[in-house]
């Protein structure tokens, strides 16, 4: 068996395995901003570095293959400092005013006030609390508030009704591009901009599925509907999507009995973290003002509101009347292929056991 | 389709398939997440074959696209089987071991050599031969279909043909194989399982089976269960006109928008003597009702949905329904009470745990408590059973699209029949219909969700560049479509997704809905209407 040494520990590796993958299999965490199951990383974030203890060199674990006997440190002072420098560099290029969004004018480093003026920056960063960059900054003692900001790509794309693309916060990890390729959409590509680049979406090809939102490690891509809703007291509830027969499992983010956002977990079958536009963004029909809220009875061609007792008694008595006069087969029912199974069970039971007819169907035929 | 028409295999099988054969399924639109798994399989080297009249998004990833004429599926599949048998490429050992009826199948399909069927299907003979050879070499093949197979007057025969092909190739009962319908609505499987079908009780036990009747009479404490099949939806609608049906109860569906031939449907609904609806929104159908009950919607009630791979999933309540709206099971229970029956179950969990699961053999081992911890695919015959990702191992009898009885399957020799209405001089185009990505069914949900209307808010008709050029119109021009049943004026979208001679529409919006035009002619076995094919005339400018 072949081994490399990580932080004085022997770790097995397999043919053509990168140091990053070898470490990951062994449970050793090397921070990266573009790591993920869907990442085709070419070490673009530059954080996945480690020290070759024998030579003192810093190497990229994302691109270096493990070889027999390598002695690697992922925690040396040299590595820590290099990562910190890299993080400072990443911070300095974008509108990462996350820790200064509420500070008075005199206390902010150059560029932080300007960042506040940008579109979508009037509220806290939508990734606050979940942002990988922010977490790494904390871990590496990056002086975020003091870093002067020079925003490389102050570009906002609001064309999607659901997804805001604020490239002023983009760290150019390429994860949105990778995930869009992986699911077969290929709608996102690189767009040159003042000597650098940012992702751009072909809106004709984009299906607004929002998989790129889940891939974005920072607050560059976010859900417009959830924007500005503080994440305090949000609970997650797993449920099943109300659209199509795939049965995707959704994680509802619920605050004060209201769904504020929908995501999916990568390890939950059948959808393994994937959703489509309807599943991710089509949840709020239940809050529509058009909902039926009270029983209605038609009189002289017009509906009027009624109590449950009145409406239920009317229907029950009418069914009894029809059954007495014409027999149970003069009553027919169509059940619902969108509601829960238990509703269909009770409806067919009402028809078969109570009314006494098999005239119960639903739209399974179409 | 035929009651328990669920997938024989699972989505996780997609990556195990060497070949993925997709017939009549625009899955990037109708089942978008499933399509992403197909894309990954293709990236990992699986062959993808798409059989569809339209050049859907899926065809961009495909190794082969057989662009058959609408309604020629049986002829095409017979010709593929013709090559498999003529060239000796089928799985002889599997067929001998597992299947009966091969001689009859052979006799029939030998009458469909690819050179002869080309004029029916429009698919070049050499493409059929290549596909047959590919299917023989690259096994297992997973066959997936959707409504492009079933919404024809030959829908059941189309399904049998899919099953025949997979049997002949030895692809049934293996991981990465099978006959796999992607079901349209989120809980059509659960509604079937629950017995919302005129011929079967919960769990697919037949109403004409006296043993089943005794079982449910005992369970429901009644003595009057009828032993003959009830009316299916088309007959219910017709019955409203003939007065065979006097009272009609529609729960959560909008047949006034989604059933074919809307003029006819409206005529029927307006003849109803008494009509009741449960719904979450006012729809075209609720307009015909005498009483409308307001229902709890998704996420306003606890319950289950069962997906197309027979996976029973929990649906959880996060908020109360608006106003005084109540859960549907409660409404039915209250009506039963007012008609003299008291039901014990007072929540969905009670209904499942105490009634439905114990009564349905394939669900015996599924409880709400287990669903908290596990994802289960039926059959789950007992409390320790882990669920069944692949049918046809020990549970052949539960799957009805292909009947394995006493461990053997039976080929069904099928002859091709044309669609009920074929283009002629007066109505020279074919109209086919389906779904678009941004809306769902009658759009009562999606049109009330913020943002989806920004992406699509009206019906559109897709037409080929050649045909549009001949009439002299372009994208966004309003054109008139007329069939023997109705006429609409609708915005055109010129696209080479559709072949010459065909127009394509969806049915999400009431205005300009394709169902003003569609034909209610239905499959004689399943009663599924021929949404996929009728004859239509184009007028530009509108007359």
């Amino acid at each position: 068996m072949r081994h490399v040494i990580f932080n004085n520990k022997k770790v097995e590796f397999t043919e053509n395995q990168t140091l990053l993958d070898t470490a990951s299999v062994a449970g050793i965490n090397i921070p990266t901003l573009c790591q993920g199951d869907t990442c085709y990383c070419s070490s673009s974030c530059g954080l996945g570095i480690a020290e070759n203890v024998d030579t003192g060199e810093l190497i990229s674990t994302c691109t270096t293959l493990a070889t027999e006997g390598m002695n690697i440190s992922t925690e040396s002072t040299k590595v820590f400092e290099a990562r910190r420098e890299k993080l400072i560099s990443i911070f300095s290029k974008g509108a990462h005013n996350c820790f200064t969004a509420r500070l008075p004018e005199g206390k902010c480093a150059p560029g932080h006030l300007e960042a506040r003026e940008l579109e979508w920056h009037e509220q806290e960063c939508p990734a606050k609390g979940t942002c990988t960059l922010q977490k790494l900054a904390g871990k590496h003692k990056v002086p975020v508030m003091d870093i002067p900001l020079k925003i490389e790509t102050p570009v906002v794309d609001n064309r999607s009704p659901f997804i805001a693309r604020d490239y002023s916060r983009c760290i150019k990890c390429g994860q949105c591009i990778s995930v869009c390729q992986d699911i077969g959409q290929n709608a996102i590509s690189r767009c040159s901009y003042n000597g650098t680049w940012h992702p751009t979406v072909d809106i004709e090809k984009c299906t607004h599925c929002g998989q790129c939102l889940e891939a974005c490690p920072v607050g560059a891509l976010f859900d417009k509907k959830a924007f500005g809703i503080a994440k305090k007291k949000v609970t997650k509830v797993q449920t099943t999507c109300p659209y199509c027969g795939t049965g995707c499992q959704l994680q509802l983010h619920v605050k004060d009995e209201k769904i504020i956002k929908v995501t999916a977990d990568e390890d939950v079958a059948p959808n393994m973290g994937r959703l489509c536009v309807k599943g991710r963004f089509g949840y709020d029909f239940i809050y529509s003002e058009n909902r039926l809220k009270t029983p209605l009875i038609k009189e002289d061609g017009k509906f009027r509101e009624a109590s449950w007792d009145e409406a239920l008694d009317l229907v029950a008595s009418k069914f009894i009347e029809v059954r007495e006069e014409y027999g149970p087969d003069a009553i027919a029912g169509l059940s619902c292929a969108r509601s829960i199974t238990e509703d269909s069970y009770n409806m067919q039971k009402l028809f078969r056991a109570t009314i006494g007819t098999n005239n119960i169907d639903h739209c399974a035929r179409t | 389709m035929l009651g328990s028409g669920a997938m024989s295999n699972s989505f996780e099988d997609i990556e195990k398939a060497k070949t993925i054969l997709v017939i009549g399924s625009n899955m990037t639109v109708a089942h978008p997440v499933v399509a992403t798994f197909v894309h990954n399989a293709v990236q990992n080297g699986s062959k993808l074959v798409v059989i569809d009249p339209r050049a859907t998004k899926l065809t961009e990833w495909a190794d082969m696209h057989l662009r058959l004429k609408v309604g020629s599926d049986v002829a095409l599949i017979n010709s593929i089987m013709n090559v498999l048998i003529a060239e000796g490429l089928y799985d002889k050992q599997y067929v001998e071991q597992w299947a009966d009826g091969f001689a009859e199948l052979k006799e029939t399909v030998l009458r469909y050599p690819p050179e002869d069927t080309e004029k029916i299907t429009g698919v070049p003979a050499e493409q059929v031969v290549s596909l047959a050879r590919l299917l023989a070499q690259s096994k297992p093949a997973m066959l997936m279909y959707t409504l492009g197979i079933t919404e024809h007057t030959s829908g059941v025969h189309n399904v049998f043909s899919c099953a025949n092909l997979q049997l002949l190739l030895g692809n049934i009962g293996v991981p990465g194989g099978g006959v796999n319908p992607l079901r349209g609505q989120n809980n059509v499987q659960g509604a079937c399982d629950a017995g919302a079908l005129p011929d079967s009780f919960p769990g697919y036990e037949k109403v004409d089976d006296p043993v089943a009747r005794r079982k449910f009479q005992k369970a429901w404490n009644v003595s009057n269960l009828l032993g003959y099949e009830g009316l299916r939806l088309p007959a219910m609608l017709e019955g409203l006109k003939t007065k065979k049906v006097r009272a009609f109860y529609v729960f959560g569906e909008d047949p006034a928008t989604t059933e074919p031939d809307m003029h006819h449907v409206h005529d029927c609904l307006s003849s109803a003597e008494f009509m009741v609806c449960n719904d979450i929104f006012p729809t075209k159908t609720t307009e015909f009702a005498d009483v409308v009950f307001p229902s709890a919607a998704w996420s306003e009630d606890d319950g289950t949905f069962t997906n197309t791979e027979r996976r029973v999933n929990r649906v959880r309540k996060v908020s109360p329904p608006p106003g005084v709206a109540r859960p549907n099971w409660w409404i039915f229970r209250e009506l039963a009470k007012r008609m003299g029956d008291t039901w014990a179950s007072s929540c969905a969990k009670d209904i499942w745990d105490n009634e439905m699961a114990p009564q349905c053999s394939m669900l015996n081992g599924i409880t709400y408590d287990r669903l908290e911890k596990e994802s289960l695919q039926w059959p789950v015959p007992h409390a320790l059973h882990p669920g069944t990702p692949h049918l046809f191992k020990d549970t052949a009898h539960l799957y009805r699209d292909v009947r394995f009885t006493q461990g053997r399957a039976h080929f069904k020799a099928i002859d091709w029949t044309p669609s009920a209405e074929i283009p002629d001089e007066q109505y020279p185009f074919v109209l086919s219909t389906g779904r678009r990505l941004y809306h769902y069914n009658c759009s009562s949900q999606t049109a009330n969700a913020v943002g989806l209307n920004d992406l699509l808010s009206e019906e559109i008709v897709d037409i080929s560049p050649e045909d549009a050029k001949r009439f002299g119109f372009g994208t966004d021009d309003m054109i008139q479509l007329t069939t023997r049943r109705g006429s609409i004026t609708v915005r055109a979208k010129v696209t080479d997704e559709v072949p010459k001679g065909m127009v394509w529409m969806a049915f999400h919006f009431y205005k300009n809905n394709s169902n003003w035009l569609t034909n209610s002619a239905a499959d004689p076995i399943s009663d599924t209407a021929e949404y996929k094919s009728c004859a239509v005339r184009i007028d530009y400018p509108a007359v």
Side-chain angles (χ1 to χ4, degrees):
Chain A
M1 194 59 73
R2 294 181 302 170
H3 297 90
V4 287
I5 296 163
F6 268 112
N7 306 333
N8 299 320
K9 247 174 54 189
K10 261 183 148 184
V11 171
E12 284 177 18
F13 70 95
T14 54
E15 187 83 21
N16 286 326
Q17 197 172 30
T18 62
L19 287 170
L20 182 67
D21 288 342
T22 309
S24 163
V25 170
I28 296 162
N29 177 38
I30 299 176
T32 58
L33 276 167
C34 40
Q35 190 181 35
D37 290 346
T38 55
C39 180
Y40 304 126
C41 185
S42 51
S43 69
S44 60
C45 77
L47 287 173
I49 41 177
E51 182 179 349
N52 183 329
V53 177
D54 296 331
T55 64
E57 267 181 311
L58 286 176
I59 51 176
S60 158
T61 61
C62 321
T63 52
T64 310
L65 294 181
T67 52
E68 180 61 41
M70 269 181 142
N71 188 359
I72 304 294
S73 171
T74 66
E75 293 164 357
S76 70
T77 314
K78 204 171 185 177
V79 171
F80 187 88
E81 282 304 321
R83 268 193 216 132
R84 190 165 172 275
E85 282 309 308
K86 185 69 204 175
L87 286 165
I88 290 173
S89 157
I90 293 172
F91 264 93
S92 70
K93 292 173 186 166
H96 304 296
N97 60 332
C98 32
F99 292 102
T100 59
R102 302 227 167 113
L103 277 189
E105 208 170 320
K107 299 226 171 182
C108 297
H112 285 246
L113 284 178
E114 288 82 346
R116 279 189 215 173
E117 302 301 314
L118 296 167
E119 193 179 358
W120 295 110
H121 287 245
E122 71 276 14
Q123 304 264 4
E124 277 186 337
C125 174
K128 192 170 179 185
T130 55
C131 176
T132 314
L133 183 64
Q134 201 179 43
K135 282 181 192 158
L136 287 174
K139 198 173 158 196
H140 291 85
K141 302 190 166 46
V142 175
V144 180
M145 287 159 65
D146 305 327
I147 302 172
L149 304 182
K150 194 170 175 301
I151 302 159
E152 276 190 346
T153 50
V155 178
V156 171
D157 178 354
N158 282 328
R159 289 174 297 165
S160 166
F162 305 114
I163 304 162
R165 299 168 189 277
D166 171 10
Y167 301 126
S168 75
R169 288 196 181 106
C170 175
I171 57 167
K172 297 158 183 69
C173 65
Q175 290 211 63
C176 55
I177 300 175
S178 298
V179 75
C180 196
Q181 284 173 353
D182 188 45
I183 59 171
Q185 290 301 336
N186 262 323
I188 312 181
S189 58
R190 287 179 176 222
C191 166
S192 297
Y193 186 89
N194 281 348
T196 176
W197 65 277
H198 63 74
T200 188
V201 63
D202 179 342
I203 205 76
E204 293 300 315
K205 272 190 178 177
C206 176
T207 60
H208 311 269
C209 70
Q211 217 61 44
C212 53
L213 291 181
E214 299 236 20
C216 182
V218 296
L221 306 184
F222 55 90
D223 181 338
K224 284 183 179 175
K225 287 188 187 182
F227 183 73
I229 302 173
K231 287 170 202 146
K232 275 182 195 156
K233 294 187 190 161
V234 170
T235 52
K236 280 199 197 176
V237 177
Q238 184 172 322
T239 197
T240 308
C241 181
Y243 299 111
C244 107
T246 307
C248 290
Q249 292 301 289
L250 314 180
Q251 299 294 331
L252 305 179
H253 299 235
V254 179
K255 184 173 177 169
D256 302 328
E257 293 193 324
K258 201 164 176 187
I259 303 165
I260 58 161
K261 190 163 91 167
V262 172
T263 58
D265 283 352
E266 274 178 24
D267 54 352
V268 179
N271 48 312
M272 315 314 277
R274 290 180 180 174
L275 293 175
C276 78
V277 58
K278 294 192 288 288
R280 192 184 303 277
F281 300 115
Y283 58 85
D284 52 357
F285 66 92
I286 54 173
Y287 308 125
S288 165
E289 268 311 300
N290 299 331
R291 285 287 301 274
L292 289 167
K293 300 182 186 83
T294 182
L296 302 172
I297 292 175
K298 197 182 268 170
E299 264 175 11
D300 303 325
K302 282 195 174 150
F303 284 117
R304 65 161 173 89
E305 295 188 354
S307 70
W308 275 108
D309 274 335
E310 186 190 9
L312 288 164
D313 284 342
L314 172 64
V315 172
S317 63
K318 191 75 193 174
F319 281 177
I320 290 168
E321 189 186 308
V322 170
R323 185 174 58 184
E324 273 171 10
E325 195 161 343
Y326 304 102
D329 283 343
I331 306 173
L334 180 64
S335 191
C336 179
R338 294 186 269 174
S339 190
I340 54 172
T341 304
E342 293 82 352
D343 287 343
S344 272
Y345 181 90
N346 264 17
M347 187 175 187
Q348 64 84 35
K349 187 174 163 186
L350 173 73
F351 272 76
R352 293 204 160 95
T354 302
I355 296 172
T357 176
N358 285 318
N359 288 344
I360 178 75
D361 200 1
H362 74 290
C363 66
R365 299 169 206 293
T366 58
Chain B
M1 243 305 301
L2 290 178
S4 69
M7 286 173 70
S8 63
N9 294 57
S10 302
F11 296 140
E12 64 178 36
D13 279 40
I14 294 172
E15 65 177 24
K16 297 176 192 149
K18 287 269 170 46
T19 304
I20 299 166
L21 180 57
V22 178
I23 310 183
S25 171
N26 186 14
M27 62 170 78
T28 60
V29 161
H31 301 86
V33 170
V34 180
T36 70
F37 297 137
V38 170
H39 181 258
N40 294 148
V42 172
Q43 281 179 317
N44 292 329
S46 299
K47 301 280 182 202
L48 173 62
V49 179
V50 177
I51 298 180
D52 203 298
R54 293 192 300 150
T56 57
K57 166 92 182 167
L58 207 58
T59 60
E60 289 175 20
W61 313 333
D63 297 273
M64 289 179 81
H65 175 203
L66 278 65
R67 207 167 188 178
L68 83 171
K69 287 186 190 163
V70 173
S72 65
D73 305 71
V74 169
L76 179 63
I77 295 171
N78 277 352
S79 71
I80 299 167
M81 292 194 284
N82 175 292
V83 178
L84 289 170
I85 293 174
E87 296 192 6
L89 298 172
Y90 69 99
D91 193 332
K92 293 180 197 73
Q93 205 190 336
Y94 182 96
V95 168
E96 270 166 34
Q97 192 179 348
W98 296 109
D100 295 331
F102 177 73
E104 292 86 340
L105 179 84
K106 183 175 173 182
E107 194 195 321
T108 299
V109 304
L110 285 184
R111 285 188 274 110
Y112 290 81
E115 301 75 25
D116 294 356
T117 50
E118 196 173 318
K119 57 184 178 294
I120 301 172
T121 63
V123 177
E126 53 271 30
Q127 221 184 356
V128 174
V129 174
S130 317
L131 173 57
R133 290 174 186 164
L134 173 73
L135 290 171
Q137 280 160 13
S138 182
K139 290 212 290 190
M142 187 164 180
L143 190 153
M144 290 195 270
Y145 70 83
T146 311
L147 301 173
I149 279 291
T150 53
E151 286 181 353
H152 288 283
T153 43
S154 60
V156 172
H157 284 174
N158 290 349
V159 173
F160 287 151
S161 297
C162 292
N164 283 339
L165 177 64
Q166 286 295 67
L167 267 181
L168 195 63
L169 288 162
N171 281 333
I172 290 181
V174 292
V179 179
N180 300 284
L182 299 177
R183 307 207 67 173
Q185 299 211 58
N186 54 303
N187 198 31
V188 61
Q189 192 65 50
C192 288
D193 297 351
L197 292 166
D199 67 337
S200 48
F201 291 117
Y204 303 101
E205 289 190 65
K206 294 292 170 197
V207 296
D208 60 10
D209 174 1
V211 178
R213 275 206 307 283
R214 274 199 296 278
K215 168 178 159 178
F216 282 94
Q217 280 173 179
K218 192 163 169 241
W220 294 334
N221 195 25
V222 292
S223 55
N224 57 346
L225 295 181
L226 295 184
Y228 53 90
E229 184 178 338
L231 299 175
R232 298 172 179 186
L233 173 56
M236 291 177 186
L237 290 170
E238 196 61 44
L240 293 171
K241 265 177 82 173
T242 61
K243 301 296 171 199
K244 191 173 176 187
V245 176
R246 304 274 172 167
F248 190 35
Y249 196 159
V250 179
F251 160 32
E253 297 290 346
D254 186 13
T257 305
T258 60
E259 286 300 299
D261 190 1
M262 276 162 77
H263 287 291
H264 167 72
V265 175
H266 290 196
D267 192 22
C268 297
L269 292 176
S270 56
S271 313
E273 280 185 18
F274 184 70
M275 193 167 140
V276 188
C277 288
N278 288 12
D279 215 309
I280 61 170
F281 287 111
T283 63
K284 198 65 197 170
T285 300
T286 61
E287 288 177 22
F288 292 94
D290 297 284
V291 178
V292 180
F293 294 125
S295 304
W298 166 82
S299 92
E300 293 168 353
D301 193 13
D302 283 301
T304 58
F305 290 162
T306 300
N307 83 347
T308 192
E309 31 160 39
R310 300 165 279 105
R311 193 185 295 278
V312 180
N313 289 315
R314 276 297 316 278
V315 185
R316 293 185 172 86
K317 178 174 176 173
V318 299
S319 60
V324 297
R326 300 295 305 252
N328 295 290
W329 57 260
W330 179 88
I331 299 170
F332 300 128
R333 183 171 180 262
E334 283 295 311
L335 285 171
K337 190 169 87 187
R338 284 154 213 261
M339 294 181 74
D341 288 344
T342 303
W343 296 349
S345 299
S346 60
C347 63
K349 181 179 190 289
D350 284 357
I351 295 168
W352 183 279
D353 284 351
N354 302 336
E355 298 189 67
M356 185 159 160
Q359 287 158 10
C360 302
S361 59
M362 81 260 190
L363 306 176
N364 281 170
I366 305 182
T367 59
Y368 268 44
D369 281 349
R370 277 191 82 182
L371 292 177
E372 286 299 315
K373 302 182 284 278
E374 303 168 81
S375 184
L376 294 166
Q377 287 169 271
W378 66 250
V380 186
H382 57 78
L384 299 174
H385 192 282
T388 311
H390 308 110
L391 286 181
F392 299 130
K393 286 191 162 174
D394 316 316
T395 53
H397 62 286
L398 278 167
Y399 187 65
R400 307 195 303 170
D401 281 358
V402 186
R403 288 163 196 268
F404 276 71
T405 46
Q406 291 154 356
R408 290 181 73 76
H410 301 267
F411 283 114
K412 281 216 181 247
I414 305 286
D415 268 308
W416 172 74
T417 49
S419 299
E421 197 178 64
I422 48 175
D424 53 23
E425 248 173 51
Q426 209 183 349
Y427 300 98
F429 287 83
V430 174
L431 168 67
S432 193
T433 69
R435 275 87 179 142
R436 296 199 193 263
L437 177 64
Y438 300 116
H439 285 281
Y440 181 58
N441 203 267
C442 65
S443 83
S444 66
Q445 290 157 271
T446 46
N448 279 299
V450 176
L452 290 166
N453 289 334
D454 295 353
L455 297 167
L456 182 73
S457 58
E458 63 174 341
E459 292 299 344
I460 293 170
V461 58
D462 293 357
I463 185 163
S464 75
E466 295 99 309
D467 290 330
K469 196 175 166 194
R470 201 156 58 80
F471 283 96
F473 61 77
T475 293
D476 285 338
D477 284 332
M478 301 300 284
I479 69 173
Q480 188 175 10
L481 301 179
T482 307
T483 67
R484 290 181 174 84
R485 294 153 296 279
S487 184
I488 58 174
T489 301
V490 61
R491 195 178 302 282
K493 179 184 168 193
V494 180
T495 168
D496 46 23
E497 264 191 30
V498 289
K500 187 166 167 281
M502 173 181 173
V503 293
W504 188 92
M505 285 190 72
F507 68 100
H508 302 303
F509 302 98
Y510 181 71
K511 193 181 169 199
N512 295 333
N513 194 297
S514 61
N515 285 324
W516 294 111
L517 308 174
T518 47
N519 191 355
S520 60
D523 182 284
I525 306 167
S526 70
D527 251 345
T528 299
E530 195 151 62
Y531 290 93
K532 296 299 182 199
S533 176
C534 71
V536 64
R537 188 177 77 231
I538 298 173
D539 286 295
Y540 177 78
V543 291

